[in-house]
Amino acid sequence: MAGSKQAVKLIANNKKAYFDYFIEDKYEAGIELFGTEVKSLRMGKCSIKESFIRVEKGEVFVYGMHISPYEKGNIFNKDPLRVRRLLLHRHEINKLSGELAQKGYTLVPLSVYLKGSLVKVEVGLARGKKLYDKRETIAKKDQRREAEKEFKVKNLY
């Protein structure tokens, strides 16, 4: 993004992905949408909590991404949970395919956002966490919260 100042507006965030997975790498992908879906996204009606991504026949698809139907869309509305194609460069898809062939890797959508007038999806190459890793994450979060609380108390007096 050399010199381009585009407004980025977050539409949906997948906090659960950071809890359930170690995010190794991130990619920015476009998404193939229809008109009413874009209007619905601009209104912020999107959920990626239960969604996942697969590479099939050299193309990348997102499953389980819920985009609520646009109220004024009538017959042009599409199925809210339909499979949508993600737009990545061929070399990125090839690299991801190679990484996914390794044991334990998966693709998860991290966030959906507007970049200028375009809808983008941040895709994370992720490795699943074990139960003890999740406990460690919770412990770190609690420690940070305690430290912030102590810092706040010290600064009040």
Side-chain angles (χ1 to χ4, degrees):
M1 289 193 344
S4 65
K5 298 265 188 202
Q6 289 183 318
V8 175
K9 181 189 170 211
L10 187 68
I11 298 169
N13 202 0
N14 192 353
K15 290 180 185 174
K16 198 168 191 272
Y18 290 99
F19 181 72
D20 290 339
Y21 301 99
F22 292 112
I23 307 301
E24 305 278 320
D25 209 355
K26 294 179 183 179
Y27 296 89
E28 183 180 72
I31 185 167
E32 191 176 70
L33 297 169
F34 290 96
T36 56
E37 290 177 324
V38 176
K39 289 179 180 181
S40 189
L41 280 171
R42 286 189 189 284
M43 292 167 64
K45 301 195 187 253
C46 176
S47 171
I48 55 173
K49 278 188 176 70
E50 302 296 320
S51 57
F52 60 95
I53 297 171
R54 282 204 182 127
V55 178
E56 297 169 1
K57 299 177 189 155
E59 290 186 325
V60 185
F61 296 95
V62 63
Y63 293 82
M65 180 178 168
H66 188 278
I67 298 177
S68 300
Y70 184 59
E71 289 104 44
K72 301 178 185 82
N74 59 40
I75 60 168
F76 299 108
N77 281 334
K78 301 286 181 193
D79 176 32
L81 285 171
R82 76 179 181 86
V83 178
R84 295 171 180 88
R85 187 165 62 137
L86 293 180
L87 310 170
L88 285 159
H89 290 285
R90 175 68 47 213
H91 66 89
E92 289 176 321
I93 295 171
N94 292 341
K95 184 179 176 187
L96 284 172
S97 301
E99 295 278 358
L100 290 173
Q102 294 180 29
K103 186 173 175 268
Y105 279 104
T106 186
L107 286 174
V108 289
L110 300 175
S111 61
V112 178
Y113 55 94
L114 282 167
K115 188 175 180 184
S117 63
L118 304 173
V119 178
K120 299 287 184 178
V121 178
E122 188 175 40
V123 177
L125 180 67
R127 195 167 36 89
K129 283 186 181 178
K130 303 278 187 264
L131 184 61
Y132 56 84
D133 291 326
K134 292 181 185 178
R135 287 186 187 135
E136 199 176 291
T137 304
I138 291 169
K140 282 182 184 173
K141 208 180 275 183
D142 286 344
Q143 284 176 339
R144 198 191 77 235
R145 204 176 293 125
E146 286 295 320
E148 285 176 359
K149 191 189 287 183
E150 285 178 28
F151 181 73
K152 193 175 181 181
V153 170
K154 284 179 185 174
N155 284 346
L156 286 175
Y157 299 108

